[in-house]
Amino acid sequence: MIRLNLVLLLAVLASALYLVSVQYESRRLFSDLDKARSEARRIEADNERLQVEKRAQATPSRVERLAREKLQMRAATPAITHYVTYNAEPSAAAGSGDAAAARGGPGAVGQIQ
């Protein structure tokens, strides 16, 4: 009988230690989950803030102002635009590297400033 009691006592102790370790692990995992959710909320808030900043940076008026000030660009006007017409007849320059430009091919319409 004493042996049975000792075996049962050891089983109860082992069960109690296992229960404590499982509860500890459960609390640790819950804490990690809470930290991950908090980090996800922070990242979502940062993403929303960055999206708003991106939209503010890409407004047409800001892009136009930067093009004028930093890149020193100006709007195209009919006075500075030169139109090239398409010539269907092959020219004498057809054998040279400028064949597409001489024939009025792709890239033949442009602006001259």
Side-chain angles (χ1 to χ4, degrees):
M1 189 72 165
I2 291 179
R3 240 183 212 179
L4 180 62
N5 287 340
L6 281 176
V7 169
L8 289 177
L9 178 64
L10 289 174
V12 167
L13 286 175
S15 171
L17 288 175
Y18 179 72
L19 179 64
V20 168
S21 69
V22 167
Q23 284 180 341
Y24 172 77
E25 184 68 17
S26 173
R27 287 185 183 125
R28 188 185 65 76
L29 289 173
F30 183 77
S31 174
D32 290 347
L33 179 63
D34 190 43
K35 287 178 187 175
R37 286 180 178 162
S38 175
E39 180 71 11
R41 282 190 300 270
R42 187 188 64 77
I43 289 172
E44 285 178 17
D46 283 349
N47 185 37
E48 289 175 15
R49 181 183 54 82
L50 290 172
Q51 291 295 330
V52 167
E53 285 181 17
K54 178 181 163 186
R55 283 190 295 268
Q57 295 291 324
T59 59
S61 60
R62 182 178 182 279
V63 171
E64 184 178 345
R65 182 177 47 84
L66 287 175
R68 263 188 280 109
E69 292 174 1
K70 293 195 177 191
L71 301 176
Q72 298 169 350
M73 297 175 83
R74 58 185 176 164
T77 62
I80 61 172
T81 303
H82 178 70
Y83 296 97
V84 178
T85 60
Y86 177 75
N87 187 358
E89 298 175 21
S91 66
S96 70
D98 297 327
R103 290 190 310 266
V109 177
Q111 296 177 356
I112 299 176
Q113 296 185 8

